[in-house]
Amino acid sequence: MACLLETPIRMSVLSEVTASSRHYVDRLFDPDPQKVLQGVIDMKNAVIGNNKQKANLIVLGAVPRLLYLLQQETSSTELKTECAVVLGSLAMGTENNVKSLLDCHIIPALLQGLLSPDLKFIEACLRCLRTIFTSPVTPEELLYTDATVIPHLMALLSRSRYTQEYICQIFSHCCKGPDHQTILFNHGAVQNIAHLLTSLSYKVRMQALKCFSVLAFENPQVSMTLVNVLVDGELLPQIFVKMLQRDKPIEMQLTSAKCLTYMCRAGAIRTDDNCIVLKTLPCLVRMCSKERLLEERVEGAETLAYLIEPDVELQRIASITDHLIAMLADYFKYPSSVSAITDIKRLDHDLKHAHELRQAAFKLYASLGANDEDIRKKIIETENMMDRIVTGLSESSVKVRLAAVRCLHSLSRSVQQLRTSFQDHAVWKPLMKVLQNAPDEILVVASSMLCNLLLEFSPSKEPILESGAVELLCGLTQSENPALRVNGIWALMHIDKIMSTHGKQIMQAVTLILEGEHNIEVKEQTLCILANIADGTTAKELIMTNDDILQKIKYYMGHSHVKLQLAAMFCISNLIWNEEEGSQERQDKLRDMGIVDILHKLSQSPDTNLCDKAKTALQQYLA
Amino acid sequence: MGIGLSAQGVNMNRLPGWDKHSYGYHGDDGHSFCSSGTGQPYGPTFTTGDVIGCCVNLINNTCFYTKNGHSLGIAFTDLPPNLYPTVGLQTPGEVVDANFGQHPFVFDIEDYMREWRTKIQAQIDRFPIGDREGEWQTMIQKMVSSYLVHHGYCATAEAFARSTDQTVLEELASIKNRQRIQKLVLAGRMGEAIETTQQLYPSLLERNPNLLFTLKVRQFIEMVNGTDSEVRCLGGRSPKSQDSYPVSPRPFSSPSMSPSHGLNIHNLASGKGSTAHFSGFESCSNGIISNKAHQSYCHSKHQSSNLNVPELNSINMSRSQQVNNFTSNDVDMETDHYSNGVGETSSNGFLNGSSKHDHEMEDCDTEMEVDSSQLRRQLCGGSQAAIERMIHFGRELQAMSEQLRRECGKNTANKKMLKDAFSLLAYSDPWNSPVGNQLDPIQREPVCSALNSAILVSRSQRKAAIVNLSLLGPRNPQSAKATSSCPSNGTGHTMSRTDGSIWNWILCIRHSGRLPTLAMHFKSSHYIVAFSQHGSRPALQI
């Protein structure tokens, strides 16, 4: 504590700290390199675990000097290493610290340091980079700006267990989206990291595992590669299965379950593969149990929801596994009344996770009830379930609201529930509220749910229409978002006499979609809408007088995609159907347009469905 | 169809779950029945072709089911011990295939067990250790020492005390005295045992009239058997049964068996024996020195088939782990014993007890060739004088019983004991009578241990060895904790010079850190059935 001896005895505590901090910085400028080194070492010891000291040193300009010393050719490797250690320590502090470091361009300096031959220095740089890149304030793009960085990092993977741990951690934090995945994949990430899964170091194994989970997410290319990778004679999926054994640390079980889930969703593993049905799924259900930490339960439920979303068999298995549906009801009990009274810390913790837990539960319920009527019934019969969903619809958190709407949407596929529970709980009221000024992602789900509530047999139909749904839906048909436009028209279709009142708007929306650059599914839906419209007299009028639309239908009859051809055929069939009023004129007009020729051509189609439809249509002309 | 568990004696004509001490999961409604006619919604329904598993966790006494390999969640909690797997069939023509582990299970039970081992291991690792580092070491040494002293392994106790710098609380002479008495009891020489006790520990039996009564009843039984010294000296041949110390299912329970064998063998030498007796002998000596791999093997089987002997459960598990044998049954066990040839006996030295047994054993080696199958057991060894003595003794016993009742009030246990003993006389061949098991030398053991405990209490020693208490088994986590107190070092090297059994156990806990009963119990109670409802026998699914 030499510095204290030099300070005057009577001093306020604050200035004392600043003065001592200044002394640390001053010593970095000493002409004697040995003294500079000692100064850096002393600084290192002073800042460990002391956020105030860190902030002081940053304010006093220690960072640029440290970076200068770190990059200086003349600095000894020892000094460079100590500088990197101190910078790493500063980065461990608050987010503001990290921002200050970024402002001083620390990342290029540290990346430059990685070119050094000295392993200790490289490890210090990597540790510091790891800390910076794992901070939420650091843009991950910074890792990819220099194209030479990734291959160099890949090469460093072989140097030591520390380089392995830090680099994997950097990758798993900075790999966001398909572009990053592709860059890492193209630089051999899979081969370079795969063998780390059998490392002796738990941390290395864990970080490598995390890398694979981010690499495989929604990425068929990576996932397809992963299933065939061999490590020590074992296929990667088998290694993942071993890592989700019940005696492994929870973090490891959860992460390997994620890897397998992502590979399955990316199409690399079948949904009826034993490693999914008997290993991954039960593991994820266990992650939802009360014994797990709140964070783990959130992650477990979200991953499980993702895994089972497209597969009814997995939904059925999950629904009977370990009383999952009842287990999820517990997610709504935070903060519990007990935690509020007894333990402030616990209350704080519970509150933090309460939203996350609720949205995760809603998501999982939505997946569970996506296809099976019995499961939906079971979910709705869970204690206070409908109340919880209705409450969820008006929560402040967008995430919870979205998940609640999704859940409700999934449950609304049940005719029985639409007529009972949905009516009893007047679900439509909060739903209409959600539809006002909600972000698009919510609107998409909420509007498709509205479609279900507007079905003929739904008792909610009347009150919804009375509360101004038509205007709202017309609004949607003008939306930028094609999915919203489709939902808007679709919902409108269910309303009686809508074509006579809002026919123009609907036709306009349909034209817009058919003209735009949309995916096949959206267009197919739209053509089906058109076919449905072509079922009523007013609507047929509207179509027949709209040459633009007729040309579009003709075009889609000759489209390369069978689905679209079929949908267009539907429209034509409805328009030329014999027994209906005015069918003769419509037939004539369509013949003039060359539709009959197309029908003849299609009746020779190799697709039997299309061929049958065309023949039936031609018969209408013969009759 | 109902699949579940029930205790012994539950009505077998009703589906499991409906009656008291019975638990079931029913296929028609998917409900679980917890000793009640009304079910709780539990899981899915099941039907032809499904594979249903039932797993009892003996650590937390819960049960869960699986359907086609998927866990359905906990069905029952707070289950009582000793439940049997049960399947109830209602529909005519139903067929069930049961799998007790002979085929791999659909559900990954190994993985489940791994989780529990890790849990228990963590519990052991986290168990708070006292402030002073060495405390556990001392405690475990005390435990072992007290076990050795209690059971009279004086040589081992002495060696152990020397190598661990402990003092044996009881002087050697006293241990030897107790050992002498135990030998007499186990040899069936009750009269001498009572006399010696009265000599060495005057007033002990006066203060314990019930114990004295028990001893005397046993003496009466031994008279009938022809083993008691009072009838033996009256002539008559040693009957067969006295030698046939049976295949003991409790190899560790009474270490002082070893000397008693010496005596048995001695009798045999004069009275002729059969090879079968030697097999019994063999097994007992195993109990003391398990220095042969195959011997300890047959022991482990032994133990696993005897879970109902409470104080031995702990030891049972230790062995089951080593052997990893879960299909144990009595047949296996016995064949193993017989295959342990007699020739090996001579190679078994006794560490405990006096050395003179060795040459007696050699004696018997020559005698055993004699075919003794024609020998018939006779009442009191066949001598008329002995029978008269026995009858007379019986009268004395009756009188004593009446006196006891006057002084201490009614005692149903005593009454029943006497009645059972006298019943022996009602049969022409008591050994093959319904009450004949009293003549079985194994019945000497409880008497022996009661007397040993009484002596120790009178000398204010611990009544039961601490180690016995702490080994009561991991039925609950608390006792699992108790066993976790083994020191991490310093035990290994002494092992070879002391009794292998107990050390093995301690070491196995220490090194593997797992509680092996779990594995064994699961193996035997986790079962999976596949069934069809129309009489056709489906291929086994598992």
Side-chain angles (χ1 to χ4, degrees), chain A residues 263-556:
Chain A
M263 286 160 76
C264 177
R265 282 300 308 266
I269 303 178
R270 290 167 54 103
T271 50
D272 60 356
D273 193 301
N274 270 349
C275 77
I276 296 296
V277 180
L278 291 175
K279 303 287 175 189
T280 310
L281 185 148
C283 171
L284 288 170
V285 174
R286 286 198 302 276
M287 295 300 141
C288 301
S289 94
K290 223 173 173 174
E291 288 170 46
R292 301 274 71 85
L293 301 175
L294 299 185
E295 296 90 324
E296 292 161 354
R297 294 168 77 184
V298 169
E299 254 186 276
E302 285 182 332
T303 313
L304 185 57
Y306 183 60
L307 175 69
I308 66 175
E309 198 180 12
D311 190 283
V312 64
E313 199 43 49
L314 292 181
Q315 289 157 13
R316 289 201 184 112
I317 294 169
S319 77
I320 62 159
T321 302
D322 287 338
H323 298 128
L324 177 64
I325 292 174
M327 205 194 279
L328 284 178
D330 192 70
Y331 278 45
F332 296 91
K333 295 181 180 158
Y334 294 89
S336 71
S337 46
V338 187
S339 62
I341 303 162
T342 53
D343 189 347
I344 291 293
K345 245 187 183 167
R346 165 104 188 272
L347 174 66
D348 186 48
H349 179 252
D350 284 4
L351 273 174
K352 244 190 224 156
H353 290 93
H355 291 302
E356 287 292 305
L357 280 166
R358 280 201 290 273
Q359 62 88 24
F362 281 139
K363 269 186 198 161
L364 186 44
Y365 277 133
S367 283
L368 280 167
N371 300 91
D372 189 296
E373 184 65 29
D374 289 340
I375 301 178
R376 283 182 204 130
K377 194 157 169 277
K378 256 192 185 167
I379 293 173
I380 288 177
E381 281 167 4
T382 311
E383 46 166 325
N384 304 326
M385 199 55 222
M386 285 310 282
D387 290 336
R388 275 173 187 151
I389 300 177
V390 169
T391 316
L393 289 176
S394 43
E395 273 209 37
S396 57
S397 154
V398 177
K399 234 177 160 183
V400 179
R401 252 188 298 160
L402 177 59
V405 177
R406 268 207 207 166
C407 179
L408 205 53
H409 177 236
S410 169
L411 298 175
S412 74
R413 291 184 193 133
S414 155
V415 176
Q416 197 204 342
Q417 299 306 335
L418 274 182
R419 306 182 78 143
T420 54
S421 314
F422 279 59
Q423 188 58 17
D424 298 345
H425 290 84
V427 169
W428 63 272
K429 278 187 198 164
L431 183 71
M432 288 303 285
K433 238 184 180 170
V434 168
L435 281 161
Q436 325 279 344
N437 309 320
D440 271 11
E441 48 176 352
I442 292 187
L443 277 182
V444 171
V445 193
S447 56
S448 46
M449 201 195 133
L450 199 59
C451 294
N452 288 345
L453 289 180
L454 283 171
L455 289 170
E456 201 52 58
F457 47 78
S458 162
S460 312
K461 189 173 174 169
E462 284 310 310
I464 292 177
L465 289 178
E466 281 161 24
S467 63
V470 175
E471 278 64 42
L472 199 144
L473 291 168
C474 285
L476 289 183
T477 59
Q478 318 290 322
S479 160
E480 298 269 300
N481 188 327
L484 281 179
R485 258 182 270 160
V486 174
N487 283 350
I489 317 169
W490 197 251
L492 285 172
M493 280 344 329
H494 297 301
I495 302 167
D496 294 331
K497 298 182 189 126
I498 193 72
M499 288 307 283
S500 48
T501 53
H502 295 83
K504 250 193 181 156
Q505 276 150 306
I506 292 172
M507 291 309 285
Q508 201 179 2
V510 166
T511 318
L512 267 172
I513 295 170
L514 289 179
E515 276 173 357
E517 291 280 315
H518 298 306
N519 61 27
I520 304 284
E521 280 72 26
V522 172
K523 292 198 167 170
E524 186 195 359
Q525 289 269 311
T526 316
L527 283 167
C528 288
I529 291 169
L530 209 51
N532 282 3
I533 300 174
D535 216 13
T537 320
T538 341
K540 282 179 184 151
E541 262 319 302
L542 271 168
I543 296 173
M544 292 308 292
T545 51
N546 189 333
D547 283 337
D548 209 15
I549 286 282
L550 289 176
Q551 286 301 332
K552 294 245 151 47
I553 296 174
K554 187 182 166 190
Y555 164 75
Y556 282 110

Side-chain angles (χ1 to χ4, degrees), chain A residues 244-248 277-279 281-282 286 291-292 317 320-323, chain B residues 42 44 67-74 107-108 111-112 114-115 118-119:
Chain A
L244 55 74
Q245 279 176 355
R246 297 167 79 145
D247 54 344
K248 296 286 184 296
V277 180
L278 291 175
K279 303 287 175 189
L281 185 148
R286 286 198 302 276
E291 288 170 46
R292 301 274 71 85
I317 294 169
I320 62 159
T321 302
D322 287 338
H323 298 128
Chain B
Y42 167 69
K67 179 180 171 180
N68 300 324
H70 297 285
S71 163
L72 304 179
I74 302 267
F107 177 75
D108 194 345
D111 201 24
Y112 180 74
R114 265 196 296 269
E115 180 182 2
T118 318
K119 263 190 208 173

Side-chain angles (χ1 to χ4, degrees), chain A residues 191-253:
Chain A
Q191 283 69 29
N192 283 314
I193 298 173
H195 69 274
L196 302 183
L197 287 173
T198 55
S199 163
L200 291 177
S201 155
Y202 171 75
K203 283 180 178 172
V204 172
R205 265 179 289 152
M206 204 49 234
Q207 294 305 335
L209 193 58
K210 281 188 180 169
C211 267
F212 283 122
S213 77
V214 296
L215 282 169
F217 182 63
E218 291 184 336
N219 192 320
Q221 187 191 23
V222 174
S223 297
M224 288 299 201
T225 311
L226 288 183
V227 280
N228 295 317
V229 170
L230 275 171
V231 179
D232 289 352
E234 259 187 307
L235 285 168
L236 219 47
Q238 289 167 342
I239 292 179
F240 291 148
V241 165
K242 275 191 183 166
M243 287 174 131
L244 55 74
Q245 279 176 355
R246 297 167 79 145
D247 54 344
K248 296 286 184 296
I250 299 300
E251 186 192 25
M252 184 171 269
Q253 291 185 39

Side-chain angles (χ1 to χ4, degrees), chain A residues 108-155:
Chain A
L110 290 170
L111 290 174
Q112 190 65 31
L114 297 181
L115 298 172
S116 154
D118 186 84
L119 183 60
K120 281 269 169 298
F121 178 51
I122 291 175
E123 286 174 353
C125 288
L126 280 173
R127 195 181 303 120
C128 184
L129 279 167
R130 185 269 318 260
T131 312
I132 291 170
F133 274 119
T134 51
S135 163
V137 300
T138 313
E140 49 273 353
E141 281 304 329
L142 289 175
L143 185 68
Y144 304 96
T145 36
D146 180 348
T148 63
V149 169
I150 300 294
H152 186 60
L153 287 175
M154 292 290 174

